[in-house]
C-alpha cells in the first residue's frame, strides 16, 4: 500500500495537480463516499434533528458533499490550500477553514454536534520539524483536547484512518483517552486486506457502547465461515463413505494383474489356483 | 464562505490566549449575499450555542440591523427569517479577523480564513 503521508506533509503533497487528481479519481470518490456513509452511521446522530458537524480534513469536499446530501450543516478544516480551492470550485455548502489540526482548534465549547474525519489521522503521525510542538504526541494531544471541548456533551467523533502499526493505534487511543474521550476502535472486515477499514469511534460524555465492526469479506466473493479447500475435502469424504469404490485387491484384480505380468514376460509369476485371492484362515 | 454562524463559534487559539479571545473583530470585510434554504428547526437547535451580543455586534458591523439587541423570548417567524439571513446568507469573502486579546490577525481570502499559526504561537 502506498503511504503518501511518508512522502511529504499534506499541504505540500496535495499541491494543485495532486489535489485535482485525487478529486477526479472515481475510485477515490467511491471509497470516500462509502466511508463517509459508514462514519455517519457510526456517529448515530438522533434522527430528524438538524445537526452541525465538523469535517476534519475535509479536503476537496468529497465527504462534505455527502453531508450536504444528507442535509447536515457543516464546517470543514484542511491544511492543504489546493484542496480547499478545489472544494470552492465544487461549491460545497459548508464553511471552510485553512487550519492545521495539529495546532488545535479555536472553536468555542460545545460548538458541534459531532465530528467526522476520513483518512486524516495518519497524517498527524509524522514529525516535520524538530521543534517541540511538531512531535506527533504533542500535536495529537493538542488536537484531541481542543476537539473534545469543541464538541457538545454528549456527542461523538468518528475517524477513519490508515494505521501502519499497532503502536500507532495505541498512541492515538491513549492520547484520545487522556483528552477525555471514551470509546474505541471499530474494525470493518478485519479478515480482508482490501476491504479492511479502521474507525476510531470516540465519545464525549461517556454513555453508549462502541458499535461492532462489519464482518464478512467486503466484496462477498467468499463465504468466510469455511476455509478454502473445505468443499473438496467434503466431497472426497462423502465418496469414500458412500462405499461405491470397491476394495481393489479382489480375486479378479489379482488374476488380471498376473495375466498382465505373464504377457510382459515377467518371471516367477505364481500359478493360478482355487486358492488365489482367498482369505487365509484366522488361525494361521 | 465564512458565515456569521461560524464566526460566532470562533475564538483565538494561539498559545496562552485563553481569556477575552472572543469574538474576533472583523476588519475590511467584503460580503456577498447568497440565498439558502430556510430551516427553522436547525435555527432553533442552534440558538443555545450562539453568543447573542457578539452576533448582534458582528451583524451591525456588516450593516444588518434587523436583529434586536436583546435575544427575544418568543420565536416568531419574522425573527427566525432575519436570523436565518444573518447566520446563513451573509458570506464574508475578503477581510480579516483580529483577536481582541493577543491581536493575532487571521486573514480571510477567497472566503477561506487562514487559521494557521507560526511555530512560536502554537500552544
Amino acid at each position: 500500500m502506498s503511504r503518501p503521508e511518508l512522502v511529504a506533509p499534506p499541504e505540500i503533497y496535495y499541491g494543485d495537480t495532486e489535489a485535482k487528481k485525487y478529486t477526479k479519481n472515481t475510485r477515490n470518490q467511491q471509497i470516500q463516499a462509502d466511508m463517509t456513509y459508514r462514519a455517519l452511521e457510526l456517529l448515530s446522530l438522533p434522527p430528524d434533528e438538524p445537526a452541525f458537524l465538523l469535517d476534519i480534513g475535509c479536503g476537496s469536499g468529497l465527504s462534505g458533499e455527502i453531508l450536504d446530501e444528507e442535509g447536515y450543516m457543516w464546517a470543514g478544516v484542511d491544511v492543504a490550500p489546493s484542496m480547499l480551492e478545489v472544494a470552492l470550485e465544487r461549491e460545497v455548502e459548508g464553511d471552510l477553514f485553512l487550519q492545521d489540526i495539529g495546532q488545535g482548534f479555536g472553536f468555542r465549547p460545545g460548538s458541534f454536534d459531532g465530528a467526522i474525519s476520513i483518512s486524516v489521522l495518519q497524517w498527524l503521525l509524522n514529525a516535520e520539524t524538530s521543534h517541540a510542538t511538531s512531535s506527533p504526541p504533542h500535536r495529537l494531544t493538542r488536537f484531541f483536547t481542543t476537539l473534545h471541548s469543541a464538541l457538545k456533551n454528549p456527542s461523538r467523533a468518528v475517524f477513519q484512518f490508515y494505521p501502519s502499526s499497532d503502536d500507532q493505534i495505541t498512541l492515538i487511543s491513549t492520547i484520545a483517552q487522556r483528552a477525555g474521550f471514551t470509546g474505541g476502535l471499530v474494525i470493518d472486515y478485519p479478515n480482508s486486506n482490501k476491504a479492511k477499514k479502521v474507525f476510531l469511534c470516540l465519545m464525549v460524555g461517556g454513555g453508549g457502547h462502541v458499535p461492532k465492526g462489519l464482518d464478512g469479506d467486503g466484496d462477498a466473493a467468499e463465504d468466510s465461515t469455511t476455509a478454502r479447500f473445505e468443499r473438496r475435502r467434503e466431497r472426497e469424504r462423502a465418496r469414500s463413505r458412500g462405499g461405491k469404490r470397491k476394495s481393489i485387491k479382489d480375486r479378479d484384480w489379482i488374476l488380471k494383474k498376473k495375466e498382465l505380468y505373464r504377457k510382459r514376460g515377467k518371471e516367477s509369476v505364481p500359478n493360478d489356483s482355487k486358492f488365489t485371492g482367498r482369505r487365509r484362515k484366522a488361525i494361521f | 464562505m465564512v458565515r456569521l454562524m461560524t464566526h460566532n463559534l470562533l475564538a483565538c487559539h494561539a498559545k496562552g490566549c485563553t481569556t477575552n479571545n472572543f469574538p474576533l473583530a472583523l476588519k475590511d470585510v467584503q460580503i456577498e449575499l447568497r440565498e439558502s434554504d430556510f430551516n427553522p428547526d436547525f435555527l432553533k437547535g442552534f440558538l443555545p450555542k450562539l453568543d447573542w451580543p457578539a452576533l448582534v455586534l458582528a451583524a451591525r458591523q456588516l450593516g444588518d440591523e434587523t436583529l434586536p439587541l436583546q435575544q427575544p423570548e418568543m420565536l416568531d417567524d419574522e425573527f427566525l427569517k432575519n436570523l436565518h439571513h444573518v447566520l446563513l446568507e451573509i458570506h464574508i469573502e475578503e477581510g480579516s479577523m483580529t483577536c481582541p486579546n493577543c491581536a493575532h490577525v487571521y486573514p480571510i481570502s477567497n472566503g477561506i480564513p487562514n487559521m494557521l499559526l507560526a511555530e512560536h504561537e502554537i500552544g
Side-chain angles (χ1 to χ4, degrees):
Chain A
M1 192 200 277
S2 65
R3 291 241 166 227
E5 64 270 23
L6 299 179
V7 178
E11 65 273 28
I12 294 170
Y13 181 83
Y14 288 115
D16 286 342
T17 43
E18 193 62 35
K20 286 221 170 67
K21 227 162 65 181
Y22 185 87
T23 316
K24 270 193 193 148
N25 185 330
T26 46
R27 185 177 144 72
N28 267 346
Q29 289 174 3
Q30 185 58 44
I31 295 177
Q32 293 265 324
D34 288 347
M35 294 193 297
T36 311
Y37 281 121
R38 177 69 177 138
L40 281 175
E41 192 185 325
L42 292 174
L43 212 52
S44 62
L45 293 161
D48 312 322
E49 236 175 78
F52 189 50
L53 303 182
L54 179 62
D55 187 352
I56 301 160
C58 60
S60 49
L62 287 176
S63 43
E65 232 165 35
I66 305 233
L67 297 181
D68 287 341
E69 269 172 36
E70 298 287 309
Y72 294 113
M73 295 281 186
W74 59 280
V77 300
D78 204 288
V79 74
S82 306
M83 284 294 234
L84 291 174
E85 225 164 83
V86 179
L88 277 186
E89 278 169 28
R90 289 155 56 85
E91 297 186 334
V92 290
E93 297 277 328
D95 287 2
L96 305 171
F97 294 90
L98 178 66
Q99 188 156 21
D100 183 354
I101 57 172
Q103 298 179 348
F105 299 108
F107 297 111
R108 286 197 295 130
S111 294
F112 295 96
D113 302 314
I116 64 162
S117 151
I118 306 295
S119 312
V120 174
L121 274 190
Q122 71 269 13
W123 288 97
L124 279 181
L125 297 168
N126 302 302
E128 279 147 31
T129 66
S130 56
H131 196 271
T133 57
S134 182
S135 77
H138 185 274
R139 286 164 62 77
L140 283 169
T141 309
R142 183 92 184 125
F143 168 63
F144 280 123
T145 44
T146 51
L147 176 67
H148 185 268
S149 67
L151 291 170
K152 75 162 191 195
N153 184 358
S155 66
R156 288 185 178 193
V158 176
F159 307 82
Q160 182 277 326
F161 69 116
Y162 295 107
S164 57
S165 69
D166 285 350
D167 288 350
Q168 292 189 340
I169 297 178
T170 330
L171 177 73
I172 289 178
S173 29
T174 45
I175 291 179
Q177 268 170 20
R178 226 177 286 150
F181 285 104
T182 54
L185 278 193
V186 177
I187 302 180
D188 283 357
Y189 312 119
N191 301 322
S192 161
N193 256 341
K194 230 171 32 178
K196 180 176 176 178
K197 291 283 175 292
V198 182
F199 291 87
L200 182 65
C201 189
L202 297 178
M203 287 171 278
V204 181
H209 52 93
V210 182
K212 267 186 79 174
L214 299 178
D215 264 340
D217 225 321
D219 37 29
E222 273 176 80
D223 189 2
S224 64
T225 53
T226 54
R228 256 177 101 191
F229 296 112
E230 190 87 348
R231 210 182 300 156
R232 185 169 27 162
R233 199 157 41 231
E234 200 84 340
R235 204 168 50 217
E236 266 162 25
R237 199 163 47 195
R239 195 163 56 191
S240 66
R241 230 189 286 132
K244 272 184 189 166
R245 292 175 76 174
K246 285 178 275 178
S247 153
I248 42 173
K249 291 186 178 87
D250 60 352
R251 186 178 155 86
D252 287 341
W253 181 82
I254 295 169
L255 288 176
K256 202 174 87 190
K257 252 342 196 202
K258 282 177 165 176
E259 196 56 40
L260 189 70
Y261 290 151
R262 279 182 209 117
K263 228 191 268 172
R264 285 182 188 163
K266 193 178 177 189
E267 287 166 37
S268 69
V269 179
N271 289 329
D272 296 344
S273 75
K274 65 171 184 182
F275 300 106
T276 304
R278 208 191 260 189
R279 285 184 77 88
R280 288 183 200 277
K281 275 184 184 159
I283 50 164
F284 165 68
Chain B
M1 289 286 282
V2 194
R3 292 174 284 192
L4 287 188
M5 169 176 71
T6 34
H7 171 260
N8 201 271
L9 299 176
L10 214 53
C12 180
H13 65 296
K15 185 178 188 175
C17 194
T18 49
T19 52
N20 187 31
N21 57 356
F22 174 85
L24 302 176
L26 295 165
K27 258 193 201 135
D28 312 323
V29 288
Q30 291 173 26
I31 57 170
E32 204 183 289
L33 299 181
R34 255 180 265 169
E35 279 189 28
S36 69
D37 297 336
F38 179 57
N39 184 348
D41 289 337
F42 174 77
L43 291 173
K44 279 176 200 159
F46 205 79
L47 264 178
K49 291 181 191 171
L50 288 172
D51 183 300
W52 192 259
L55 179 69
V56 175
L57 183 78
R60 304 220 158 173
Q61 215 180 337
L62 300 183
D64 190 302
E65 310 251 337
T66 50
L67 293 182
L69 274 174
Q70 290 291 321
Q71 185 174 352
E73 301 281 322
M74 287 284 290
L75 304 176
D76 54 9
D77 232 29
E78 198 198 332
F79 166 73
L80 283 176
K81 284 246 163 68
N82 288 337
L83 185 65
H84 169 75
H85 177 73
V86 169
L87 282 181
L88 297 168
E89 297 189 325
I90 301 180
H91 294 251
I92 303 168
E93 284 296 320
E94 303 283 333
S96 69
M97 298 183 289
T98 313
C99 171
N101 184 34
C102 69
H104 182 98
V105 179
Y106 300 97
I108 304 173
S109 81
N110 224 345
I112 298 179
N114 181 342
M115 307 300 289
L116 297 178
L117 300 174
E119 212 167 59
H120 65 275
E121 294 167 320
I122 302 171

